Structure formats: C-alpha cells, structure tokens
Amino acid sequence: MASTTSSTLTISSSSTLVDGKAPRQSSAATTPQCVSLPTLPPPTVNSQSRPWKPTSFCRKIARNVMAMASVGEATSEVVAGVTTSEPIELPEFVKTIQEAWDKVEDKYAVSSLAVAAAVALWGSAGVVSAIDRLPLIPGLLETVGIGYTGWFAYKNLVFKPDREALLRKIKEKYSEIIG
C-alpha cells in the first residue's frame, strides 16, 4: 500500500503477487521503506539573466510570422531588419489572376465550377487507383496507351504535311474556344 505524508512517500510491501511475480524475500520486506522527493526550486523572475535562444524550428516560425506581418503593410515594411517605404510588388501572374477575377461577373458560378472540378479530380484519382489494383488491367491499359501514342505520332507527326494539318486543326479549335 502507498500513503503520502508531507513530501514523503511511504511504500510498504506485502506478500501478495504484483503483476504475476512473487515478492522478493529480504529482511527489509517487512519494514516500510520511505522515499522522499525533493522539491523544485522556484522559477527565476528575472528573464534578463538568461537570453532566450530559439531553436531552429522556432526561428522558422518567427520568420514566417514576420513575413506574414510584413505582407499586410503597404506603406512601409520591415524585412530582415531593412525598412523600405515602397509598396510590395506582386509577381506578374498574380496581378493577371487578380485582374481576371475582377472581370468575372458570376463569381459564385466560377467558384462552384472550381469546387466541382476538384471533386471530379479527386474522384477520378480514386477510380484510377482502384483500376490500378486489378491484376491484369493496368498492363493491358499501358499497352493500349503505348500503341495509341505510336499510331498518333506516325499519323500526325512524322511527315511535314501531316504536322501542318495538325497545327491547323489545333489553331482552329483554339480560335473556336477563345473566340
């Protein structure tokens, strides 16, 4: 049995089995043994006595937080200790995407289509992985794909008039889609 009294832990032994093992036979088995646990010293109040050194993981977090905080400021930013008063320049493709999004009239429909495309992509990945687990089907589909690729290359890419006809077809489809 165990009892606790003011920072002293008393453990007494008995002759019962503990975890399926027989107790050790010793002269101290009949007398209780005391174990005292020392108390911890109080924490230091002065934080200036030991400078804080973050680990590399904490440095990464601090760097990310500083980068996120500096992106929001448009008039002046502090990056790596250098202060500038210029606004943040976005890459060209981000500006293009922002302009295209601003031109969209029905943002709800475009967002719905994007979500539907993501769900369709996820579902098709599941179907492909299920087919890939079948015994003979993946090898057969790979053979068919290689054969079709060879046929397409021979029919459309080997000779110059065929290449020109293919480019003409691609440009026609492109102009039909774009307008």
Side-chain angles (χ1 to χ4, degrees):
M1 303 291 168
S3 64
T4 307
T5 59
S6 68
S7 79
T8 303
L9 177 65
T10 305
I11 301 173
S12 62
S13 62
S14 64
S15 62
T16 59
L17 293 176
V18 177
D19 293 332
K21 296 179 183 176
R24 288 185 279 169
Q25 298 296 327
S26 64
S27 61
T30 57
T31 61
Q33 297 176 352
C34 297
V35 178
S36 66
L37 300 173
T39 59
L40 294 173
T44 58
V45 177
N46 187 3
S47 64
Q48 299 294 335
S49 63
R50 186 174 140 218
W52 182 66
K53 293 183 179 180
T55 62
S56 63
F57 179 73
C58 291
R59 285 187 199 127
K60 289 178 185 175
I61 291 174
R63 223 178 303 137
N64 290 342
V65 170
M66 186 166 75
M68 285 188 282
S70 66
V71 169
E73 300 174 5
T75 57
S76 68
E77 63 178 287
V78 177
V79 177
V82 178
T83 304
T84 62
S85 60
E86 297 177 8
I88 297 171
E89 287 295 322
L90 295 175
E92 188 64 33
F93 71 93
V94 175
K95 290 179 182 179
T96 307
I97 291 172
Q98 285 179 344
E99 291 171 1
W101 183 251
D102 290 338
K103 290 179 184 177
V104 172
E105 293 178 12
D106 195 3
K107 292 183 170 123
Y108 178 75
V110 172
S111 300
S112 298
L113 285 173
V115 169
V119 169
L121 183 65
W122 177 70
S124 63
V127 168
V128 168
S129 72
I131 290 173
D132 194 34
R133 284 185 250 141
L134 296 174
L136 296 175
I137 302 296
L140 178 67
L141 290 177
E142 186 176 349
T143 305
V144 168
I146 291 171
Y148 181 77
T149 303
W151 175 81
F152 181 83
Y154 177 75
K155 188 80 171 159
N156 296 312
L157 301 176
V158 174
F159 302 109
K160 187 173 182 176
D162 296 332
R163 280 193 303 265
E164 291 171 355
L166 178 65
L167 287 174
R168 210 173 25 255
K169 287 179 188 176
I170 291 173
K171 287 179 182 178
E172 288 173 5
K173 291 293 181 185
Y174 180 77
S175 64
E176 286 179 19
I177 293 171
I178 298 300

